């Protein structure tokens, strides 16, 4: 029943609901608002990333902050980390293959964009190391 409700939720998203749940990371790098993010939008987001001097991933946040500070002559401030995580029970079992299949369309281009940014991140890191 939970998976049926989740599938219905994903399939019935439209308008502003898509803005909040459909490939949000890809949407950040677009200069327009698509109703539903497509492969064309992914390519436009990748092209738009070229406008930024530095782009990083959450997985490599410390490295990104270090590169940013080095590039702009800043000292990294020590701040406590806060994570956007619930301390109570999760709504879904994200390891469940059925749940992953249902939710994948909402993050599919984001995952591809993340891979592109990670490759840029690796290239920038190797250039800084040399």
């Amino acid at each position: 029943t939970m998976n049926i409700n989740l599938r219905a939720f994903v399939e019935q998203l439209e308008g502003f609901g898509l803005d909040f749940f459909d490939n949000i990371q890809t949407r950040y790098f677009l200069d327009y608002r698509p109703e539903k993010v497509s492969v064309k939008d992914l390519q436009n987001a990748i092209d738009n990333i070229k406008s930024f001097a530095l782009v990083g991933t959450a997985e490599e946040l410390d490295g990104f902050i270090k590169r940013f500070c080095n590039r702009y002559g800043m000292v990294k401030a020590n701040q406590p980390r806060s994570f956007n995580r619930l301390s109570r029970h999760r709504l879904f079992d994200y390891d469940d293959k059925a749940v992953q299949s249902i939710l994948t369309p909402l993050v599919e281009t984001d995952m591809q964009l993340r891979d592109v940014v990670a490759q840029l991140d690796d290239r920038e890191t190797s250039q800084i190391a040399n």
Side-chain angles (χ1 to χ4, degrees):
T1 305
M2 176 62 84
N3 287 355
I4 292 170
N5 292 337
L6 182 60
R7 185 175 305 281
F9 171 78
V10 170
E11 290 173 355
Q12 294 172 11
L13 278 173
E14 60 184 29
F16 289 118
L18 287 169
D19 290 343
F20 289 108
F21 293 103
D22 176 48
N23 294 288
I24 295 171
Q25 301 300 315
T26 303
R27 287 174 182 272
Y28 287 146
F29 289 101
L30 296 175
D31 52 357
Y32 55 91
R33 182 199 167 270
E35 178 66 17
K36 178 94 175 99
V37 173
S38 70
V39 174
K40 177 184 167 240
D41 300 315
L42 170 62
Q43 188 55 55
N44 286 338
I46 291 168
D47 292 343
N48 287 342
I49 283 175
K50 297 172 187 170
S51 299
F52 292 85
L54 293 172
V55 178
T57 63
E59 294 88 352
E60 296 297 329
L61 183 60
D62 288 334
F64 173 78
I65 292 171
K66 181 178 179 183
R67 286 193 314 280
F68 185 90
C69 290
N70 287 342
R71 182 180 189 106
Y72 295 105
M74 301 170 72
V75 176
K76 180 180 181 266
N78 290 324
Q79 296 178 328
R81 282 211 174 161
S82 62
F83 293 97
N84 187 14
R85 295 186 181 169
L86 293 173
S87 58
R88 59 183 191 268
H89 179 69
R90 296 187 302 175
L91 293 175
F92 312 108
D93 177 3
Y94 302 113
D95 296 322
D96 182 304
K97 297 296 182 197
V99 170
Q100 290 176 4
S101 175
I102 293 167
L103 295 177
T104 292
L106 297 179
V107 295
E108 196 163 23
T109 63
D110 284 356
M111 293 185 318
Q112 293 173 45
L113 186 64
R114 186 237 165 263
D115 292 343
V116 169
V117 170
Q119 289 173 353
L120 291 173
D121 200 24
D122 290 343
R123 189 181 69 222
E124 290 170 3
T125 301
S126 65
Q127 288 173 350
I128 290 170
N130 293 330

